[in-house]
Amino acid sequence: MESIACFISGGLAPGAALQALLEKEAVSLSSIELCCGEEQPATQTLTPSKKYTLVLAASSSPHNKDALVCIARAMAPGGRLYVYEGSRSVSATPGTMDTARVEALKHDLLLSGFTGAQALDATGLSASVSAVPTAWVFAQLPSWGLGASAKLSLKRPTPVTAAVPGPPAAASAASAGAGAWKLTAGGLDGEEDDELMDEDELLTAEDRKAAAGPAPDDCEVGQSGRKACKNCSCGRAEAEAKEAAGGGGGVKLSAEMLENPQSACGNCYLGDAFRCASCPYRGLPAFQAGEKITLGSSLLQADI
């Protein structure tokens, strides 16, 4: 059986508010617990021995948020609330509810813990046009109460072993791989498994081609190391030719190469960090094309 309460404040006559409630809910007047007072419930000591499942809050003045919070604490989870306000603003159109007040009331109900606040049709509540309420709104509390908790299950689900062709080792590996892509979220009603998408499946053919990168040209480092340029003048091409012929060795640095240094690849000018392993200019400072290579005084002194 429902526990019903009607809070009347501000000296409002409860007749119109109760009539509006009876048109929405099939209840009897004898089952309604009537609480009348000049002040709204927020300023009263409202400690009911039971939680109300249906409440009518009627007042001649707008309900403040403290009153709505106090009413919410006196209601059971999932309880239904009807708010009836009989005062009218000067700017309100006769025969209609105050739209601005209704929207403000819906906002306050949301902040007080109620959900699904909606304005009700006030047409036909009274034969007098001036007696139409300022606001006639319905709202409801969530089905869970204050301090509600739910148990989370962290148990790993047992993987379902499917028939996998091949040796037993391959079948066990396949079942282990299938379970590795599961995310378990336990709840009160059981466990649910959410499969995660393999990120490799999101790559297109163009993405895979771009990740591979362009093939190195003659001036770049390949899988077998640095290659000689097509117009190599540093001796790398000759060294590779000798190695192919079985002679080995590289080009020796000559006086002409010091007087008039040249490099077709352009790496020899930049220093040892950009020169190949067999470059004859390795160990020498960077230089400009056609400019004689000179060594500083510090380079001509022994380290020890």
Side-chain angles (χ1 to χ4, degrees):
M1 183 176 180
E2 286 191 326
S3 54
I4 309 172
C6 177
F7 299 104
I8 304 296
S9 60
L12 179 71
L18 290 174
Q19 178 185 355
L21 176 65
L22 295 178
E23 291 184 2
K24 297 296 182 180
E25 299 285 344
V27 296
S28 61
L29 289 176
S30 60
S31 62
I32 300 177
E33 183 178 336
L34 192 61
C35 303
C36 298
E38 290 296 328
E39 298 179 346
Q40 294 183 1
T43 57
Q44 298 174 354
T45 305
L46 185 59
T47 56
S49 58
K50 57 183 177 181
K51 296 293 185 179
Y52 299 109
T53 57
L54 177 61
V55 170
L56 170 63
S59 176
S60 59
S61 61
H63 290 84
N64 54 49
K65 286 184 289 187
D66 294 336
L68 297 176
V69 171
C70 187
I71 294 174
R73 292 177 178 175
M75 297 178 62
R80 307 183 303 280
L81 171 67
Y82 290 89
V83 180
Y84 184 99
E85 294 181 355
S87 63
R88 300 189 59 79
S89 62
V90 178
S91 60
T93 304
T96 61
M97 291 191 297
D98 190 347
T99 306
R101 175 54 195 159
V102 170
E103 294 300 323
L105 180 58
K106 290 166 62 177
H107 179 266
D108 293 342
L109 287 170
L110 179 63
L111 296 180
S112 303
F114 292 92
T115 60
Q118 55 182 332
L120 300 176
D121 186 12
T123 304
L125 293 184
S126 176
S128 176
V129 174
S130 60
V132 175
T134 303
W136 176 230
V137 178
F138 169 79
Q140 190 170 7
L141 284 178
S143 58
W144 43 266
L146 183 65
S149 62
K151 182 179 180 181
L152 297 178
S153 175
L154 302 178
K155 182 178 64 175
R156 184 184 297 274
T158 304
V160 179
T161 306
V164 178
S172 60
S175 61
W181 292 97
K182 296 284 187 179
L183 181 63
T184 301
L188 294 177
D189 298 333
E191 298 180 352
E192 297 180 358
D193 296 336
D194 296 332
E195 291 193 11
L196 300 180
M197 180 177 292
D198 188 358
E199 58 185 11
D200 293 336
E201 296 180 358
L202 302 177
L203 297 177
T204 61
E206 291 76 9
D207 296 335
R208 298 178 188 275
K209 185 177 180 181
D217 55 20
D218 293 339
C219 296
E220 296 182 351
V221 178
Q223 295 182 354
S224 60
R226 187 177 293 278
K227 298 180 181 179
C229 301
K230 294 180 180 179
N231 301 322
C232 180
S233 62
C234 64
R236 178 68 178 175
E238 290 81 356
E240 290 180 355
K242 288 184 179 181
E243 291 178 0
V251 177
K252 301 295 184 180
L253 184 64
S254 61
E256 175 63 23
M257 298 172 65
L258 293 175
E259 294 290 339
N260 186 23
Q262 300 292 333
S263 175
C265 65
N267 294 333
C268 303
Y269 303 134
L270 305 178
D272 288 349
F274 302 91
R275 294 167 181 164
C276 58
S278 60
C279 181
Y281 295 104
R282 287 186 66 85
L284 298 179
F287 56 87
Q288 298 293 333
E291 180 182 337
K292 181 179 179 180
I293 299 177
T294 57
L295 301 177
S297 59
S298 60
L299 297 177
L300 300 176
Q301 296 178 358
D303 295 338
I304 54 176

